[in-house]
């Protein structure tokens, strides 16, 4: 099918690439000329695992091209809107980019078009979109509006697109439902040339859930808010474990064994970040308020999350006493591993606070340093972990990149001023680092003093 994708952010690019991968003829429209030029020259504006190879293959096969929004709108019989919906100062989602795309569609599209909102939007946006198109369209445009929220995690978005648990579509006509089923058919049947796994094992077919547009829009916001709630919940339990002398890793494992709860999103840490959870949570609270529903529960989720930064800074101060003039080795800047995204990254908030206390930051992140330099230019960016550790009073881990879990602890202990690790993600093995002479401070009661080598104990 001829499909247009509007917006070349991580959702738009993943959607365009994967729809081309499963055999569609895709045109991706982007309004930023600089980004467009980069894409046309084969360069991606973001780091997202596997996306470059899938895009490259699709372009070479002639199934994916990039151009202006106007060109894209004229191309596809289905038009996926994947533009940003950033937060306004009052927490509402800013929908002006969606309206702008709708105006272009109304003016330029002819014949029948299925207009699919994939951007995260408040409930009833589909209805507004329908009204806007109705009021501005040329006579020859016939259309359906559908909602098809994305559940793509940064860092695994290609995998999430091609091997999803569910595909949710919100429609108001059988025609729209049928078209969406046809578009996703190869994924529903899991009959895809999988670019990720050489011997892709047979997968369970995802559930194709058809709802009305309002329900589909709500599913997206409710899903993200629920996951955020789970994280704030485990973070509170983590604090309780620490105060009461229990072990959060064991407690989370014990809770997660209940299939009604499940083990995922029970990892305590310095709080959720990124461009989805914080903004979607705020937007969902605002939406509820507009409809007269008091969602104070979610306000608490947000408050608890913001407190995680204070907690981490206090933890560091407790361990190091005075921070002024001390060098700190900070590992990880991105809001989570496998991405270069630093938007709402708790690591950046923590670094800023440490700087105001007078600490000197020596930071390393495998992918996010270029972006971080734009936000925080006045820290030392290092080539690797070992450079960042030189003469540091502590190693502070803020993003759980896999490579941080397999460091040469022996080498590291010879570089630092004091062998102390403060693990803001509880991702290191306390026993492993302690066996190399490090004092380990984690969250939720996971700490250990350095093991004294047997030779010393025995005199
Ligand atoms: C999230 C959702 O998981 C996706 O389903 C959704 O499509 C996406 O938002 C979106 O709305 O676009 P993402 O923000 O990429 O995806 O990242 P997650 O893996 O969900 O993590 C979000 C934050 O929660 C990260 O800062 C992560 O470190 C934190 N987190 C996650 C925890 O602190 N503990 C956990 O147990 C899990």
């Amino acid at each position: 099918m001829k499909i247009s994708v509007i917006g070349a952010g991580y959702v738009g690019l993943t959607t365009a690439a994967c729809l081309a991968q499963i055999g569609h003829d895709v045109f991706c429209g982007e309004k930023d000329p600089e980004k467009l030029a980069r894409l046309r020259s084969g360069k991606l504006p973001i780091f997202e695992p596997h996306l470059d190879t899938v895009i490259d293959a699709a372009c070479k096969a002639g199934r994916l091209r990039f151009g202006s929004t106007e060109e894209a709108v004229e191309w596809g019989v289905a038009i996926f809107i994947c533009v940003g919906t950033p937060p306004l100062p009052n927490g509402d989602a800013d929908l002006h980019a969606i309206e702008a795309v709708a105006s272009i569609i109304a003016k330029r599209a002819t014949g029948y078009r299925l207009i699919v909102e994939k951007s995260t939007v408040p409930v009833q946006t589909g209805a507004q979109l329908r009204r806007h198109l109705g009021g501005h369209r040329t006579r020859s445009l016939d259309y359906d509006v559908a909602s098809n929220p994305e559940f793509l995690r940064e860092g695994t978005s290609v995998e999430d697109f091609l091997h999803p648990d569910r595909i949710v579509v919100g429609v108001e006509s059988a025609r729209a439902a049928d078209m969406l089923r046809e578009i996703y058919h190869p994924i529903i049947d899991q009959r895809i040339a999988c670019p990720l796994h050489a011997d892709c094992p047979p997968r369970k077919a995802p559930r194709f859930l058809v709802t009305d547009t309002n329900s589909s829009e709500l599913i997206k916001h409710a899903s993200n808010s629920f996951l955020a709630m789970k994280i704030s919940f485990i973070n509170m339990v983590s604090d309780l474990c620490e105060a009461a002398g229990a072990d959060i890793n064991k407690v989370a494992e014990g809770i997660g064994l209940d299939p009604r709860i499940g083990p995922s999103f029970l990892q305590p840490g310095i709080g959720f970040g990124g461009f989805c959870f914080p903004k979607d949570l705020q937007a969902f609270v605002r939406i509820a308020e507009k409809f007269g529903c008091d969602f104070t529960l979610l306000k608490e989720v947000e408050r608890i999350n913001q407190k995680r930064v204070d907690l981490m800074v206090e933890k560091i101060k407790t361990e190091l006493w005075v921070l002024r003039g001390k060098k700190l080795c900070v590992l990880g800047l991105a809001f989570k591993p496998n991405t270069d995204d630093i938007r709402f990254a708790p690591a950046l908030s923590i670094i800023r606070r440490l700087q105001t206390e007078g600490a000197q930051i020596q930071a390393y992140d495998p992918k996010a340093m270029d972006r971080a330099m734009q936000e925080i230019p006045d820290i030392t960016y290092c080539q690797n972990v070992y450079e960042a550790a030189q003469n540091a009073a502590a190693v502070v881990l803020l993003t759980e990149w896999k490579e941080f879990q397999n460091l040469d602890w022996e080498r590291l202990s010879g570089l630092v001023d004091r062998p102390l690790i403060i693990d803001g993600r509880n991702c290191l093995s306390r026993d492993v680092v302690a066996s190399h002479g490090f004092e380990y401070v984690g969250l939720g009661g996971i700490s250990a003093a350095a093991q004294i080598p047997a030779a010393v104990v025995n005199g």
Side-chain angles (χ1 to χ4, degrees), residues 1-7 11-29 62-69 71-82 112-118 148 161 178-187:
M1 193 182 294
K2 278 175 83 171
I3 296 178
S4 303
V5 174
I6 314 293
V11 173
L13 282 174
T14 305
T15 303
C18 293
L19 288 175
Q21 171 73 25
I22 62 170
H24 297 295
D25 258 331
V26 183
F27 196 114
C28 182
R63 285 201 306 273
L64 175 61
R65 66 284 289 153
F66 296 97
S68 67
T69 307
E71 287 171 297
V73 159
E74 285 167 11
W75 172 267
V77 63
I79 303 174
F80 284 74
I81 303 178
C82 302
Y112 176 80
R113 306 298 176 103
L114 173 65
I115 296 145
V116 187
E117 38 164 58
K118 218 175 205 347
N148 170 219
F161 196 100
D178 289 346
M179 270 181 79
L180 282 160
R181 194 175 276 109
E182 190 189 330
I183 289 169
Y184 282 111
H185 201 256
I187 294 177

Side-chain angles (χ1 to χ4, degrees), residues 234-244 248 308 311 443-444:
I234 204 64
N235 280 332
M236 282 314 297
V237 176
S238 167
D239 290 354
L240 182 55
C241 285
E242 193 159 318
I248 185 60
R308 302 313 287 169
L311 178 111
L443 302 168

Side-chain angles (χ1 to χ4, degrees), residues 105-125:
I105 295 173
K107 212 184 279 172
R108 300 183 83 111
T110 52
Y112 176 80
R113 306 298 176 103
L114 173 65
I115 296 145
V116 187
E117 38 164 58
K118 218 175 205 347
S119 307
T120 301
V121 289
V123 60
Q124 295 189 350
T125 300

Side-chain angles (χ1 to χ4, degrees), residues 139-161:
R139 279 223 191 124
S140 58
L141 175 64
D142 178 21
Y143 63 93
D144 274 308
V145 170
S147 154
N148 170 219
E150 51 84 15
F151 304 106
L152 310 173
R153 291 163 299 174
E154 289 186 35
T156 53
S157 70
V158 176
E159 167 127 30
D160 291 346
F161 196 100

Side-chain angles (χ1 to χ4, degrees), residues 10-11 120 150-154 220 224 227 231 265-267 271-274 276-277 280 335-336 400 425:
Y10 100 97
V11 173
T120 301
E150 51 84 15
F151 304 106
L152 310 173
R153 291 163 299 174
E154 289 186 35
K220 169 67 191 193
N224 274 7
L227 291 171
I231 298 168
F265 279 71
L266 289 181
Q267 181 68 34
F272 54 80
C276 302
F277 283 2
D280 289 354
F335 85 96
K336 62 184 254 185
E400 68 278 34
R425 299 288 186 171

Side-chain angles (χ1 to χ4, degrees), residues 4 21 24 49 61 83 87 110 119 122 149 157 169 191 217 310 320 353 367 370-372 378 387 409 433 436 453:
S4 303
Q21 171 73 25
H24 297 295
V83 296
T110 52
S119 307
S157 70
V169 299
R191 267 197 230 121
E217 289 164 343
D310 302 344
L320 295 177
R353 291 277 300 279
K367 294 287 174 195
D370 287 349
R371 287 190 194 275
D378 51 345
E387 195 183 314
W409 300 112
V433 298
H436 290 283

